Amino acid sequence: MDAEITPTPDGPFKAERIKALKDARGETIDTSEEIFLCRCGSSKNKPYCDGSHASAKFTDRRQRTKDDPVSEFAGKKLTVVDNVGLCAHAGDCVAGAPNTFFTKKGGTRVSHPDASDTAKVIEAIRHCPSGALLYKQGGKLVHEYSSGTEVLVEKDGPLRVQRAKLNGGRRPATDDHYTLCRCGASLNKPFCDGTHTKIKFRDGSGG
């Protein structure tokens, strides 16, 4: 995996060799070898950094104080692996297999692998952009299925990364796919935690 992304201290994401930066419509907007992407939410030239993080006094400090444990839910044909702490709350899982994702038990979300057709569960997991949901078959973790290296700029939302190594102390569930915060308000930096929806983040793209 040649591409990599480095969160710079209290500054932008440095993306190297990512092949394609795409807009929300999936159209390629940049193919530069090195791209600096805003993650403070204040740039006037989103998705690019324009130095606004300095005047905005952006901090990359992670405010979440503890990590949620990874849960596994075994079914007859597959096991759902849920790293809830990385969830960006995109909703693809619930939309794709609502009988499987989720119910609550003791404040913890529970998956039911056998409550939906196996193919439907797999498809829903493969649409999870954050990598919070993965699955096992035959005891083997299945987590690499992205077609190519890219970063997609979700409208008014996070950066959806495919097949790029993330540098730094915080690790995604898989380097194959994960979501990075660009509104500046996530409690789980550098990852998206869905806060952009709560603060009504707008990137001004109009797309």
Side-chain angles (χ1 to χ4, degrees), residues 65-87:
T65 57
K66 67 175 185 176
D67 291 311
D68 295 290
V70 179
S71 301
E72 295 191 5
F73 304 95
K76 295 177 181 178
K77 296 183 178 180
L78 63 76
T79 295
V80 173
V81 180
D82 186 4
N83 192 330
V84 65
L86 291 174
C87 184

Side-chain angles (χ1 to χ4, degrees), residues 6-25:
T6 304
T8 64
D10 297 334
F13 293 114
K14 179 182 179 181
E16 300 175 272
R17 301 175 296 280
I18 61 170
K19 308 299 182 187
L21 178 68
K22 296 184 176 182
D23 62 19
R25 295 179 293 274

Side-chain angles (χ1 to χ4, degrees), residues 13 38-43 46 58 156-159 180-187 189-202:
F13 293 114
C38 173
R39 63 168 172 151
C40 72
S42 299
S43 173
K46 299 180 185 72
F58 170 72
D156 301 332
L159 298 170
L180 295 174
C181 171
R182 69 185 185 105
C183 73
S186 171
L187 302 181
K189 298 184 185 80
F191 302 109
C192 170
D193 67 355
T195 300
H196 58 275
T197 300
K198 297 177 184 177
I199 67 170
K200 295 181 171 58
F201 171 69
R202 297 292 180 266

